[in-house]
Amino acid sequence: MISKMMASRYVTVVGILGDPESGKTACLVSIYLMIANAELAGWSFADSRSLMAFEEIARGARDWNAGNPPEQMTVHTELSDDRRPGFLHLRLVRNSDGRRIDLALPDLPGEWTTEFVGTSRADRFEFLKAAEAIWIVLDGRALENKERRQGMISRVGQLAGRLASLLDGQFPKLMLVVTHRDAGKPSTAVTTRLAAELAKRGLTATVVPVAPFSDNKQVTPGLGLDELIAATTTSTKTPLEFWSPAAPVEGTRSYIGYRRNR
Ligand SMILES: Nc1nc2c(ncn2[C@@H]2O[C@H](COP(=O)(O)OP(=O)(O)O)[C@@H](O)[C@H]2O)c(=O)[nH]1
Ligand SMILES: [Mg+2]
């Protein structure tokens, strides 16, 4: 199934990494729900065939899971065969130019990331060599926690370093997806240190704060996911901009970008 999808040059494969509980599945579920409800700004389903394509993937996922149907339209995170990631497939149309984009979004167990950093076990990440973008999903609350912050930032550096050696100089666009935007936005202190940690390895990333779900009335659920999809599908390589949501204003989505100082 994966190789069939990857054989199509139009499929944008995204590598989605992140420790357990960082919010990977939440991002996928929220993207799917927003698309299904036509709430993802700037994007719509291509046509009914997109639903069929999704159904095919879901059916495939069911097969892989040997009788465990996928929950909430994403593939079970715990796969019976842990070598084969499940993919959420979406065929979208960008409203601005009508461009059609097939996205393959894998829902991987967080343990894969943990083990990749800890033991450098890379065999199951071979598919990342075909990825056009890599998301490293980070729990925004942990990032702002004074005790946990430094450890997390160093681990992002280690993870990026592992990826760099796996990908052997062919690094795709890198996005640091910071969840729990509803609990607050990432501070400049944190984004600056993340950028510095990556710069040690000659890498840059786009920081995208998101709130796939929200416990805060001031923050719309799904905030930031349209930017995430936009950044994932732009053709420019490794953008330098960090994106930071402006103070939340109900009903609007305004963003300011600022260039990282080198
Ligand atoms: N309020 C809120 N909850 C979130 C957010 N992101 C993830 N969560 C919750 O955090 C928990 C872990 O998320 P999950 O997607 O399962 O993590 P995964 O292990 O990386 O797939 C779940 O209960 C999510 O609903 C967010 O931005 N805001
Ligand atoms: Mg998960």
Side-chain angles (χ1 to χ4, degrees), residues 66-87:
N68 294 320
E71 241 167 42
Q72 299 215 34
M73 311 308 285
T74 69
V75 175
H76 252 292
T77 308
E78 284 151 48
L79 303 169
S80 48
D81 177 353
D82 76 352
R83 281 172 177 273
R84 283 197 281 181
F87 279 83

Side-chain angles (χ1 to χ4, degrees), residues 19-26 179-182 210-215:
D19 284 325
E21 296 292 301
S22 55
K24 300 178 296 300
T25 303
T179 58
H180 292 273
R181 169 65 187 82
D182 53 308
V210 298
F213 300 112
S214 179
D215 297 326

Side-chain angles (χ1 to χ4, degrees), residues 241-261:
E241 282 81 20
F242 280 76
W243 290 91
S244 167
V249 179
E250 214 139 19
T252 68
R253 295 215 175 124
S254 51
Y255 289 81
I256 39 165
Y258 51 95
R259 197 163 276 275
R260 182 166 65 86
N261 294 319

Side-chain angles (χ1 to χ4, degrees), residues 36-50:
N37 292 301
E39 280 171 2
L40 195 71
W43 299 91
S44 44
F45 263 136
D47 52 34
S48 59
R49 277 187 303 165
S50 64

Side-chain angles (χ1 to χ4, degrees), residues 15 35 42 135 168 174 178 237:
I35 283 287
W135 301 352
D168 204 18
L174 179 60
V178 182
K237 262 225 124 196

Side-chain angles (χ1 to χ4, degrees), residues 163-182:
L163 287 170
S165 38
L166 172 71
L167 299 170
D168 204 18
Q170 302 290 307
F171 216 106
K173 274 175 297 202
L174 179 60
M175 250 78 72
L176 301 182
V177 180
V178 182
T179 58
H180 292 273
R181 169 65 187 82
D182 53 308

